[in-house]
Structures are given as C-alpha cells and as structure tokens.
Amino acid sequence: MLGQMMNRPLRVADILSYAEDIHGDEGVISSTVEGGIHRETYREMAARSRQLAKALFSIGIREGDRVATLAWNGFRHMELYYGIPGIGGICHTLNPRLPAEQLIFIVNHAEDRALFLDLTFVPAVEKLAAHFPKGMLYIIMTDRAHMPDTSLPGALCYEELLAAEDDGYEWPDLPEDTAAGLCYTSGTTGNPKGTLYTHRSQVLHAFMVCVATQDAMHTGRRILPVVPLFHANAWGLAHATPLAGASLIMPGPHLDGASLFDLMEAENVFSAWGVPTVWLGLMAEINKRGRLPEGFGEVVIGGSAAAPSLIEAFEEKGVDVIHAWGMTEMSPIGTLTKLEPNMQALPLEERLKLKSYQGRRAFGVEMKIVDEDGTRQRHDGKAVGELFVRGYNVMSGYYRSEESALDAEGWFGTGDVAAIRPDGFLCITDRTKDLIKSGGEWISSIDVENLALAHEQIANCAVIAVPHPKWGERPVLVAVPADGCTPDTGDVLRHLGEHLAKWQLPDDVIYVDSLPLTATGKVSKLTLRQEYADHKLPGMD
Ligand code: AMP
C-alpha cells in the first residue's frame, strides 16, 4: 500500500530559498580575484541567483543544457551552483589544474553550451577556445570595471548580465532525478569520466553532511572550504552550509599557508576543509607564528589519507580533526571520523588511532569489502578487500558511458582496498592501482607513508612500487626533506623498522624538492611511478 504524503520533488534551489528565509543574515564572504573581501548574505545571494536564472534564459540556456564553470571558490561561483540547476540546467564544474588536452576533451564530451570563468583563467581559455564547441558563450565573472580586453568571442560581463534582470522569478518544479551537476574525475587510464549528480542526490547529500558534522553546521559558524567548488561540490559544503545556516568563507585563489591563516583569523573561521597537502602548509605557518588562527576549532581532512602525525599536530593544539573519505562518484562524502563522547573520552593515543582510520559511514552509504572472486569479507578489521559502496549519493554509471560501473549486486567498486572494523570504522590501506605486491605479499603504501611522515626530518612523502626481477615489485620512499634538513637514509629506515617487518621496508629512499600533485591537490603516484619505472634499486646491477 502506498502512503499518502505529498511527493514534492527535492530541488537544489530550495536549499538557497530556505537559507534566504530562515538564515538570511548569514552568507558567503569571499576573498576575491579582483582583490579585497566581498560580503553577501544568503538573502542577497538568493535574489542574485534568481536574477542569474533570468539572465541564463536571456542568453539562450535551456533545461538540460550543460553550463561550465572555471572558477575559484567565491560568491559568483556559488550563485551559479544554484542558478544553473534552478532552471533545469547542469552546473558543470571544470578543474583549472587539468592539462589543456583534458579540458578540451571534457568540454567537448559534455557539449557545454556556455562557460563562466574567473578573470584568472581568461588567458588560458583564450588559447583553448578554438578547440571548444562552436557557439560557446563566454561569461567573465566580474564587473564592467574589471572586464579585460579579450579575444574570447562575444565575451559577456557577469555583473552586467545580472543587472539587466530583476529577481522576480519562481524556481520551476523539476522531477527530482533531473541532472543538476556534472564533475569529471581522472582515472589512471583513459579519458576523464563524468559523474552526473541529480537534484535528489545533491539535497540528500547536503542532509548527510549536516548530520555528520553538527559542530560546524549551525548558524553563527564560519566554514572555510579550501577544497574547491570545482571538485565534487566542495565536499558538499556548497549545499550543506546554506542549509544549516552557517556562513562560508571563500579563499578565492589564495591557498598558501600564510594567506589561509590570515583569512581564517580575520573572519573567525571555526571549521576548515581540505586535502592533507594544504594542511601541511597551514601547519608550517601555525608553527612559524607559534599559535592557531583565533577561533579555529575543527579541521576536516580528506581526499587522501591523513597521516597520524598531521592529525596529532592539530589535536595537540586543540583542533578537532575529522578524517573523511569519499569520491567524486559519491557526491563525495562516504565516511567521517566524528568521535562520539565515549570515544572523545579515550586517552589521546587511542583517540589518534581512531582518527587515523577513514571513519564511519555517513547515513545512506552502505559498504562491503570483497576478495578477488567477489566474495564478501567479514567486517572484522582484519580481512582486506576491495571496497564497494551503494547509497543515495552514489553514482549509478558514468555520463555518456555504455560500460556498467556496478557489480552484479548493483554496488559501485571504489578501487580502494580496505578493512572494516566491527565498530564500523573504515581503514583504507591503498588504491588497487597503488598496491605494492612484493614476493606475493601486499605492502600498504599508506602505512609506510604515515610512518615516514612521523620522522621529524620528512615534510612530505609517497611510497611507490618499483619493478624488481625477483620480488615483482619493491617499495621505494620518495621524500621531501623538512626545511633545512638533510635526512640520513639509514636513520629513516631504522625509524620505519621500529614498526615494519624487514620485507616491508622501502628498498630505497629518494629525496626530492617537491612531489608532483594531481589536479585535485593529491600526490600523484602515477607520475612518480612513471618517473621511477626504471629506477635502479641498491644491490641491483
Ligand atoms: P576523488 O574522486 O578525486 O575525490 O578521489 C577519490 C579517491 O581519493 C578515493 O577513492 C581514495 O582513493 C582517495 N581518498 C579520498 N579520501 C581519502 C582518505 N581519507 N584516505 C585515503 N584515501 C582517500
């Protein structure tokens, strides 16, 4: 028997309308590309998003059209996050750090009709425009005073487009499975693949994030997404924060430790979200100044494994660490380490241990681990296998791809290798493609990296597999020395040897000035593996 409640569709625009109505004085504070700080309440943002909706119509955008953005975290990007799906369009966020050929592939694959871009990216897009779809509309996200001379055909000015419209607009009802957002993710092989979010998945994901991060998600709190809007909805913050009535502090293009410290202090940021590389930079600044930014109480670390040494550094200064795991294909949040009061009461060492795991599932996410034959493994904290997920926020197939992304039971294979403990904590040991198999035994690159990062003379590192004639593969540690340090390899290996078996120890340590990063700011092990594919290990002729 069916129930008899109204079946109102979930709509992304309702989040902003709610924020306007209930949390109208909260809003988005942006460090702008033009310079200076811009402040906009949710009341103003909602009105401007309705003006934007009308402006989209007047330039010819219609339901189902893909509209691309190439922009930092800022208020105009947020308006696009609501205005585009609000009219039934698809907000397609492009990652500006991708190589030109990938951007060209993605824009053509998506058949984008229009591109909204920050001033920063005008020179780069001028070079790419000839390869983009014919008739593409270019809208530069600035005001008339800052409009550049540009060769982009028919370039329009964002603020002028908005100024020509009033805000009298009602968001249309759309089936909740209507596509709302599109984000491509790069695999190790082949072309990037698109995840096509729905209104339903975006709204439910916003609820999931609000419930899972309640210390940050309420009126009066200020949240800093260093994770970009161009990467998986800034981990859901673009939707969860207005829903909860907290304010967003947008860093714009300024992501170095000193700029983040200053912005956080000036704007009283409580919770900051981003990848480990960013937090290593902020931690160096915190150590330099000998104090935390005023008001800083929580850091969400995800995107790649948070090393226990980084977690400890924040925790001992009184910053609560939430270690999060997820994927573009999951909107992206899957698990978080929000500790309950009884866990918070544990001794520091045990708390740190729990936080070094990737956390427990958010509401709506189900997880299983399977062996190579697809047989389910026990959640006993010991059995390791590939992690599969399903849920309201999980993709069912890649955009315009014939290939199934799901297993026979309808679960999505993450490509991550993990164990799940009886208490629900997820422990990721590797990516399937980053695994090191030496003499038939697996070595977890994440375990070795975490230990290496605890060495005081190592600032950052990655462990990769290098081919070996006898063992198949052997681990090699590629390390960035801490400022002014020249680590001694024997000493580093002795340090690792305190916790690892002899066969798990890297065969070599290579020192580099910096590690290659992916477009989403993670260490690119693929680049390192290619670079050191012919590396001669000590003792090999
Ligand atoms: P992306 O879709 O670019 O966000 O990448 C998702 C992948 O990043 C996951 O499949 C994991 O391999 C990795 N990842 C994300 N968060 C974590 C984490 N906390 N620990 C370890 N790996 C992570």
Side-chain angles (χ1 to χ4, degrees):
M1 185 191 289
L2 291 179
Q4 289 182 301
M5 303 308 285
M6 286 188 194
N7 194 6
R8 295 282 307 144
L10 298 170
R11 300 182 302 183
V12 166
D14 287 333
I15 294 177
L16 190 55
S17 305
Y18 181 73
E20 172 184 27
D21 205 14
I22 304 300
H23 312 297
D25 294 332
E26 301 291 322
V28 176
I29 296 164
S30 314
S31 178
T32 65
V33 174
E34 293 92 341
I37 297 285
H38 175 275
R39 292 170 197 278
E40 183 165 297
T41 63
Y42 287 134
R43 194 174 298 113
E44 291 160 339
M45 178 163 281
R48 278 169 58 87
S49 298
R50 291 192 292 271
Q51 287 172 269
L52 171 65
K54 286 184 151 181
L56 289 167
F57 272 115
S58 64
I59 59 173
I61 300 300
R62 295 292 176 267
E63 210 177 310
D65 283 345
R66 273 76 71 205
V67 177
T69 65
L70 198 57
W72 301 111
N73 287 2
F75 64 102
R76 295 189 184 104
H77 206 172
M78 279 290 286
E79 291 161 4
L80 290 160
Y81 251 78
Y82 287 92
I84 299 169
I87 66 160
I90 297 154
C91 180
H92 175 199
T93 51
L94 294 170
N95 184 336
R97 301 193 187 113
L98 287 174
E101 63 273 17
Q102 285 199 18
L103 280 173
I104 292 168
F105 169 84
I106 290 171
V107 169
N108 284 288
H109 189 261
E111 296 177 3
D112 290 321
R113 292 266 340 267
L115 172 59
F116 284 76
L117 65 157
D118 263 342
L119 278 172
T120 319
F121 305 116
V122 171
V125 174
E126 283 172 345
K127 293 199 191 91
L128 302 178
H131 306 282
F132 283 170
K134 293 249 157 355
M136 173 82 101
L137 299 165
Y138 294 96
I139 304 96
I140 301 180
M141 294 161 67
T142 192
D143 52 21
R144 174 47 56 191
H146 291 90
M147 272 300 274
D149 268 342
T150 172
S151 63
L152 287 175
L156 297 165
C157 166
Y158 184 94
E159 290 299 334
E160 277 185 350
L161 277 186
L162 258 63
E165 308 291 343
D166 62 42
D167 70 352
Y169 179 75
E170 258 191 53
W171 302 112
D173 266 358
L174 305 157
E176 63 183 20
D177 282 338
T178 304
L182 178 61
C183 183
Y184 280 70
T185 173
S186 309
T188 40
T189 52
N191 285 314
K193 297 179 185 142
T195 302
L196 192 58
Y197 308 110
T198 60
H199 282 259
R200 175 187 157 83
S201 70
Q202 301 279 45
V203 173
L204 290 177
H205 183 258
F207 279 112
M208 289 160 60
V209 173
C210 284
V211 170
T213 58
Q214 291 173 31
D215 285 348
M217 289 297 166
H218 54 84
T219 313
R221 283 293 198 214
R222 294 180 149 204
I223 303 178
L224 174 89
V226 182
V227 51
L229 286 167
F230 58 72
H231 182 211
N233 313 304
W235 295 352
L237 286 178
H239 303 119
T241 321
L243 178 63
S247 286
L248 283 163
I249 310 299
M250 297 296 207
H254 318 291
L255 305 178
D256 59 287
S259 304
L260 290 177
F261 191 109
D262 290 340
L263 182 66
M264 289 172 75
E265 175 129 305
E267 297 299 339
N268 199 30
V269 166
F270 168 74
S271 180
W273 298 39
V275 293
T277 327
V278 165
W279 302 134
L280 289 171
L282 180 70
M283 188 49 77
E285 190 63 25
I286 289 171
N287 289 334
K288 203 160 103 190
R289 300 197 199 187
R291 65 187 183 85
L292 292 172
E294 192 76 29
F296 185 24
E298 177 183 282
V299 63
V300 178
I301 311 180
S304 42
S309 50
L310 182 64
I311 297 174
E312 188 174 356
F314 276 117
E315 289 273 333
E316 71 181 8
K317 292 177 175 62
V319 179
D320 188 17
V321 173
I322 299 181
H323 187 181
W325 166 87
M327 301 182 77
T328 304
E329 292 89 335
M330 298 179 71
S331 307
I333 299 290
T335 59
L336 304 103
T337 53
K338 192 68 199 151
L339 300 190
E340 286 163 13
N342 62 328
M343 301 172 181
Q344 286 288 12
L346 291 169
L348 180 69
E349 205 166 308
E350 283 175 54
R351 253 191 304 135
L352 291 178
K353 186 85 199 144
L354 283 180
K355 291 199 173 190
S356 71
Y357 303 134
Q358 275 69 15
R360 302 194 294 172
R361 67 190 180 98
F363 171 73
V365 178
E366 293 172 80
M367 304 190 289
K368 67 172 181 180
I369 45 173
V370 303
D371 67 11
E372 279 165 24
D373 306 325
T375 311
R376 283 196 194 209
Q377 303 295 295
R378 292 163 63 87
H379 294 189
D380 59 5
K382 295 186 193 89
V384 171
E386 186 181 346
L387 175 65
F388 281 72
V389 290
R390 85 178 169 185
Y392 316 120
N393 58 324
V394 181
M395 184 199 73
S396 61
Y398 289 103
Y399 177 55
R400 293 177 61 190
S401 160
E402 300 291 304
E403 246 172 76
S404 168
L406 309 181
D407 72 1
E409 294 182 331
W411 296 61
F412 173 71
T414 64
D416 285 325
V417 181
I420 299 173
R421 293 173 19 132
D423 56 9
F425 277 88
L426 174 72
C427 323
I428 304 247
T429 53
D430 239 314
R431 297 280 296 155
T432 43
K433 55 200 180 231
D434 291 338
L435 275 172
I436 303 165
K437 196 164 197 181
S438 174
E441 295 288 344
W442 298 111
I443 298 175
S444 158
S445 61
I446 294 182
D447 281 355
V448 185
E449 285 158 13
N450 284 344
L451 288 167
L453 280 172
H455 190 282
E456 56 188 17
Q457 299 204 350
I458 293 181
N460 204 354
C461 73
V463 172
I464 53 163
V466 167
H468 188 284
K470 179 167 174 199
W471 302 112
E473 289 175 346
R474 288 296 301 152
V476 162
L477 172 67
V478 185
V480 181
D483 258 358
C485 297
T486 320
D488 173 67
T489 299
D491 179 54
V492 171
L493 293 177
R494 256 191 310 281
H495 164 81
L496 297 176
E498 286 170 21
H499 305 275
L500 296 174
K502 202 152 183 279
W503 59 272
Q504 295 172 314
L505 286 178
D507 274 20
D508 203 1
V509 184
I510 301 169
Y511 299 99
V512 293
D513 292 337
S514 63
L515 293 169
L517 297 182
T518 66
T520 48
K522 309 177 193 186
V523 174
S524 174
K525 292 195 187 172
L526 174 66
T527 313
L528 287 173
R529 274 206 313 274
Q530 286 166 345
E531 203 169 313
Y532 295 105
D534 299 324
H535 181 69
K536 252 213 188 100
L537 295 168
M540 273 171 55
D541 296 324

